[in-house]
Amino acid sequence: MSATGRSLRVRGGGCVLATHVEHDAPPPQPIVPADGEEKPSPPLPIVPADAEEKSSPPLPIVPADAEEKSLRSALGLALLQALRDKKEQPPMPIRTHAERLPSGERGVSLEFLRALRTFYTELGAIGKPMEDVCMEEGSSSSACALTRSTGLSLAESVVLVAERRGQSALPLIGHKTTFFSYSWKGTRLGDMLAAIERKVESLEREDGRTRYVFIDIFCASQNLLAGAFHSPHVTKEADPRGYAERQEDIGGVMDGAMAAADEMLFYCSPLTEAWEAPRDPFLLPGRGEPPEQWTRRGPCAVTRAWCVFEMARAIGKRCTLHVVLSPADVDGFEGLLVDRFDEIAGIIAALDARDAQITKAEDREYILMQACSVPWLQVERHEGGVGAITASVCEALRKWLADEGHAALARLPKKKRGTSRLINNLGGLLQAQGRLDEAGALYREALEAKRETLGNCHLDTLMSINNLGMLLKAQGRLDEAGALYREALEARRKTLGNHHPDTLTSINNLGSLLQAQGRLDEAEALFRQDLEASREMLGNRHPHTLGSINNLGLLLKAQGRLDEAGALYREALESRREMLGNRHQDTLTSINNLGSLLQAQGRLDEAGALYREALEARRETLGNRHPSTLTSINNLGLLLKAQGRLDEAGALYREALQVMRETLGSHHPDTLASINNLGLLLKAQGQLDEAGALLCEALEARRETLGNRHPSTLASINNLGLLLQAQGQLDEAGALYREALEASCEMLGNRHPHTLTFINNLGKLLQAQGRLDEAEVLFSELRHGAHTENS
């Protein structure tokens, strides 16, 4: 995993916050990863749907006791049996288009779900897959067979039969409130019904509101969708009205079904099971053909294009999401949460809508057309456009998992909470979502419990110390983090020795912390110690070793030793591409870092190609609001600014800053970097007052959080000096330049590139003031320093 570092760069006499370079740490500690660049992933915003999509008002509550509910289910069973026994074949469909309630507006009640269970159990069909339940050839009880005498959906057919018998189907069939999303592939009827019944019963008990659930097999006319009553004479040219009605039947079901629902049940079974994927085509034709004997893992629904798109639409219109599971997964879920929480999180993280499959190739055009019509999704007909769907669905499932984790933790006995694996795993997930305060509370609880029960030097206690240190570093609380890192390192050296992987993790983490504090020489000593031991003990291509290679490269770049850094970056990137693939987050870290180096060397086109590769992959795999995505947005913005494409750069800077303020807070180091960068861009565009407000904000916050001599604080001091000089306030600018120069000489040395930048800026200011002799002294020192640096 990785952590984040930054450096300063000389640009036209100014000093700016450079590309946000990513800093690796060794392999994960047990349960959560070691200190790393891939910081928390905040939740995606819920964007309102189009104005036309409105939910139906809540249905009136009809209290019913157990006996009445039983009678309703019995009525549903009798109506289903009447449909099965119906033999006459009147002209189809039995009701005209104008007389039919659109398929998408029907929903079935809990009592009807129970009637369906009884009906199919008596027929020995409760264990059938949903494809057979829909249209099994030769079956008299499939949805298509049951509705062949009406041409309507099963729900509408039940209403029709009830009307003809002088009965009301209202307790069984009503206007839909809830949308059920699932995959026909891999889902069995009994498991599906049990999952829906369990959740609906729970929801109705909580709020007293009757639910009517849209389930496509039962609430859409499967005969109409299959074209059973389609006349070849009804074409767009020959019968425009008939064709439009036909299209409404087959193409409007999704819109109608999604428009009225205010909540979604998403079927997530099998939760962790592996299964062989069907040879169905991908949604995106450019993906080619699915591999033979392709083993996929986890919920079938997240691999089906219809389901993934349905969830994205539901999130967009602010539907409440409820994940439902089969009975088998419900029975094992508690154990999964406690012992294999990270496994579920990994399956969710691996979701990629680009790999979504469709049953029929003709579905592709409709799904992509509908996706393009939803502005917030911004889905286009190519691979990159599907990233918004991937991100929104992943984030919704992560939130569900976090909520379930909290609930499971609350059920644990108090004595077991603090020492459980769950508390650390949940803390890691919350940190990955950007919920740092919540994560910190869990990490502190875990550490306190382990100190009390296991002692300060137990391996599990040291793991908790490390985890809390990472969290504090992510919050910018570097001194507190440093104290914990040193405690962990000292104890690991004593108990495990200097070459144990856990000790190397602590060495690396403390080195990263020292670098963030600007103590580069101390950091370099630790990074070299870590890398030497890693090569010797683990080999050159071990993930820990590659992280160490990357980290030392970052340190060398910060020291201005670009060629040495470049050799290390290329070694790490080549190995990661080969071993992990091009979209793995560690590979993207290396892509970003090499891009940063090339930019520092003035090779802007090469750097831009790498930055775009990293940004595109992160938008798709992590979403638009993940800190690593924001890193890539910032870096591409810096590059565009260096190329003079200021408006394009500004759009990226504003996107990154808005999300950082919302998710990390205004005083987080990354937010301050973003504030600084936008301020410098505005200065370059001549918008000096706006730039000054941002640069002042960044400097004030950095003085407060990092201290007056941190390299990032010195960057802000210098940058505000540049702004004041541009505004003609030369004396004020000079005071800031001198402060930055004095501190840089002390902290970084007289020959450090940042120090030379400050010398140059002060010299130019003195020259502008007519103080030529003083300026020449500084320029002479600058020439000598640059010569020394290059020799």
Side-chain angles (χ1 to χ4, degrees):
M1 308 299 260
S2 45
T4 310
R6 304 184 176 74
S7 62
L8 299 171
R9 291 197 283 129
V10 178
R11 271 202 225 192
C15 187
V16 306
L17 187 76
T19 42
H20 187 152
V21 181
E22 303 159 26
H23 202 171
D24 282 342
Q29 291 275 313
I31 304 180
V32 298
D35 197 15
E37 173 252 349
E38 305 306 346
K39 296 191 294 288
S41 172
L44 286 168
I46 302 297
V47 184
D50 295 340
E52 295 79 28
E53 298 186 353
K54 297 179 181 178
S55 298
S56 300
L59 289 166
I61 300 171
V62 182
D65 57 24
E67 182 178 357
E68 184 177 349
K69 290 180 179 179
S70 178
L71 289 173
R72 291 176 181 177
S73 295
L75 172 61
L77 178 59
L79 295 173
L80 289 168
Q81 290 169 340
L83 275 173
R84 185 192 62 193
D85 296 337
K86 206 168 184 63
K87 304 301 181 187
E88 69 265 27
Q89 293 287 315
M92 294 294 119
I94 200 165
R95 282 180 168 167
T96 67
H97 180 273
E99 293 172 328
R100 296 197 305 275
L101 184 67
S103 294
E105 294 185 21
R106 290 292 195 193
V108 298
S109 70
L110 180 59
E111 285 75 23
F112 189 69
L113 291 169
R114 289 170 176 160
L116 284 166
R117 171 177 292 283
T118 302
F119 178 73
Y120 281 104
T121 299
E122 290 177 354
L123 294 172
I126 196 67
K128 285 186 176 183
M130 295 309 295
E131 293 165 295
D132 290 347
V133 174
C134 180
M135 56 182 68
E136 183 181 18
E137 189 174 350
S139 170
S140 63
S141 58
S142 70
C144 285
L146 290 172
T147 58
R148 196 167 291 126
S149 64
T150 68
L152 307 174
S153 69
L154 182 62
E156 278 191 283
S157 298
V158 166
V159 172
L160 180 65
V161 173
E163 287 175 357
R164 292 184 172 179
R165 295 171 55 156
Q167 297 171 306
S168 172
L170 181 60
L172 304 173
I173 312 296
H175 277 269
K176 172 188 69 283
T177 63
T178 306
F179 186 93
F180 179 64
S181 182
Y182 69 111
S183 166
W184 284 16
K185 306 273 186 187
T187 299
R188 297 192 176 274
L189 176 61
D191 289 341
M192 182 196 80
L193 291 174
I196 302 173
E197 290 171 44
R198 180 174 179 268
K199 176 54 70 173
V200 169
E201 185 175 28
S202 171
L203 292 172
E204 291 186 352
R205 186 168 54 245
E206 289 174 8
D207 62 19
R209 186 167 71 103
T210 301
R211 263 64 174 189
Y212 291 98
V213 184
F214 176 89
I215 307 169
D216 61 348
I217 281 183
F218 304 131
C219 297
S221 174
Q222 297 303 321
N223 283 307
L224 279 172
L225 291 173
F229 314 118
H230 175 51
S231 169
H233 302 296
V234 179
T235 65
K236 190 173 185 179
E237 294 75 20
D239 185 358
R241 180 178 178 181
Y243 179 81
E245 292 177 352
R246 158 80 178 158
Q247 291 305 109
E248 183 177 328
D249 285 330
I250 64 172
V253 173
M254 169 63 70
D255 287 338
M258 294 300 301
D262 58 17
E263 63 187 357
M264 169 181 273
L265 308 182
F266 193 78
Y267 189 63
C268 263
S269 288
L271 195 55
T272 59
E273 181 182 323
W275 43 277
E276 185 172 339
R279 294 281 293 163
D280 293 339
F282 287 119
L283 172 65
L284 297 171
R287 297 291 285 168
E289 295 295 323
E292 295 184 7
Q293 297 181 329
W294 186 18
T295 298
R296 306 194 75 164
R297 192 170 181 219
C300 297
V302 299
T303 72
R304 308 305 299 178
W306 275 114
C307 299
V308 173
F309 176 61
E310 286 163 3
M311 180 184 274
R313 286 288 300 270
I315 294 169
K317 68 184 296 288
R318 296 180 179 270
C319 286
T320 303
L321 173 69
H322 303 289
V323 171
V324 296
L325 302 173
S326 69
D329 278 336
V330 168
D331 291 343
F333 191 52
E334 194 79 8
L336 279 173
L337 285 174
V338 173
D339 298 322
R340 295 162 57 193
F341 187 91
D342 50 344
E343 184 178 335
I344 309 174
I347 290 171
I348 293 173
L351 188 158
D352 188 346
R354 299 181 314 149
D355 290 332
Q357 294 175 274
I358 50 179
T359 304
K360 298 180 293 186
E362 52 263 38
D363 288 344
R364 177 181 292 128
E365 187 70 15
Y366 178 76
I367 295 175
L368 290 177
M369 178 184 68
Q370 289 297 310
C372 289
S373 71
V374 183
W376 79 272
L377 287 177
Q378 299 177 342
V379 176
E380 299 176 14
R381 300 173 192 217
H382 57 74
E383 292 190 11
V386 183
I389 288 182
T390 299
S392 63
V393 172
C394 282
E395 191 51 47
L397 292 176
R398 286 192 195 100
K399 182 181 183 303
W400 161 74
L401 183 57
D403 291 343
E404 292 290 343
H406 273 300
L409 192 63
R411 290 191 293 267
L412 286 178
K414 187 175 181 180
K415 289 185 178 180
K416 291 185 178 180
R417 274 177 57 102
T419 56
S420 68
R421 292 182 62 189
L422 177 59
I423 196 168
N424 283 297
N425 286 336
L426 180 57
L429 180 70
L430 293 171
Q431 184 173 353
Q433 290 180 309
R435 297 158 66 176
L436 302 188
D437 290 340
E438 293 176 70
L442 293 179
Y443 284 155
R444 287 183 178 87
E445 180 182 349
L447 178 54
E448 182 180 344
K450 288 172 182 175
R451 286 192 190 278
E452 182 178 337
T453 59
L454 303 174
N456 290 330
C457 289
H458 190 279
L459 297 183
D460 289 349
T461 306
L462 298 179
M463 179 199 68
S464 283
I465 291 172
N466 180 77
N467 291 349
L468 182 55
M470 286 193 303
L471 188 281
L472 292 168
K473 182 174 180 288
Q475 291 177 311
R477 299 161 65 177
L478 303 186
D479 291 339
E480 295 173 74
L484 290 172
Y485 280 160
R486 289 182 178 86
E487 179 184 356
L489 176 56
E490 181 180 347
R492 282 172 168 168
R493 285 191 190 278
K494 184 183 300 183
T495 58
L496 301 174
N498 290 328
H499 284 61
H500 189 279
D502 288 355
T503 306
L504 298 181
T505 293
S506 282
I507 291 171
N508 179 81
N509 289 350
L510 182 56
S512 172
L513 188 282
L514 291 169
Q515 181 173 351
Q517 292 177 312
R519 300 161 64 177
L520 303 187
D521 291 339
E522 296 174 72
E524 181 181 357
L526 288 174
F527 284 146
R528 290 195 181 279
Q529 180 183 349
D530 174 33
L531 179 54
E532 181 180 347
S534 297
R535 288 192 190 275
E536 178 183 340
M537 301 295 294
L538 304 173
N540 290 329
R541 292 200 157 194
H542 189 278
H544 183 112
T545 307
L546 296 177
S548 298
I549 290 170
N550 183 78
N551 292 350
L552 181 57
L554 172 64
L555 189 283
L556 293 171
K557 179 177 178 292
Q559 293 175 317
R561 297 153 67 179
L562 301 187
D563 291 339
E564 296 175 71
L568 291 172
Y569 281 161
R570 288 183 175 89
E571 178 184 356
L573 176 55
E574 180 182 346
S575 295
R576 283 173 166 171
R577 283 197 192 274
E578 182 177 332
M579 298 182 67
L580 303 174
N582 291 328
R583 290 166 62 87
H584 191 281
Q585 297 309 313
D586 288 349
T587 306
L588 298 179
T589 293
S590 284
I591 289 171
N592 177 83
N593 290 351
L594 182 56
S596 168
L597 182 81
L598 292 170
Q599 184 174 354
Q601 292 175 318
R603 298 159 66 177
L604 302 188
D605 290 340
E606 295 173 74
L610 291 173
Y611 283 156
R612 288 183 176 89
E613 178 183 357
L615 176 55
E616 180 180 349
R618 281 174 166 167
R619 284 197 191 274
E620 293 181 14
T621 58
L622 300 175
N624 292 326
R625 294 167 68 86
H626 191 282
S628 296
T629 307
L630 301 178
T631 293
S632 285
I633 291 171
N634 173 76
N635 290 352
L636 183 56
L638 282 167
L639 180 80
L640 292 170
K641 180 175 181 286
Q643 293 176 316
R645 298 159 65 177
L646 302 188
D647 290 341
E648 296 173 72
L652 291 174
Y653 283 161
R654 288 183 175 89
E655 177 186 358
L657 178 55
Q658 179 180 343
V659 176
M660 286 178 178
R661 285 194 190 275
E662 293 172 2
T663 59
L664 301 176
S666 294
H667 278 54
H668 190 278
D670 292 354
T671 308
L672 298 178
S674 193
I675 291 170
N676 177 79
N677 291 347
L678 181 56
L680 289 171
L681 180 79
L682 292 170
K683 174 182 175 291
Q685 292 178 311
Q687 302 178 50
L688 300 188
D689 290 341
E690 295 175 67
L694 290 172
L695 294 176
C696 286
E697 178 185 357
L699 175 55
E700 181 179 343
R702 281 174 167 169
R703 286 192 190 278
E704 180 182 337
T705 59
L706 301 175
N708 290 327
R709 301 206 162 196
H710 188 280
S712 294
T713 307
L714 301 184
S716 280
I717 292 171
N718 178 79
N719 292 343
L720 183 57
L722 288 169
L723 186 282
L724 293 172
Q725 184 175 351
Q727 291 177 315
Q729 302 180 52
L730 303 189
D731 291 340
E732 293 89 339
L736 291 174
Y737 287 154
R738 288 183 177 86
E739 179 184 356
L741 177 56
E742 179 184 347
S744 187
C745 286
E746 181 179 334
M747 299 296 297
L748 304 175
N750 294 335
R751 301 293 178 259
H752 191 279
H754 304 168
T755 306
L756 300 180
T757 296
F758 300 148
I759 291 173
N760 177 70
N761 291 347
L762 181 56
K764 286 186 175 181
L765 177 76
L766 292 170
Q767 194 175 50
Q769 291 177 312
R771 300 160 65 178
L772 302 184
D773 291 341
E774 296 175 71
E776 180 54 35
V777 171
L778 289 174
F779 289 145
S780 176
E781 183 178 349
L782 181 65
R783 289 191 292 271
H784 176 69
H787 173 75
T788 304
E789 187 71 20
N790 294 328
S791 62

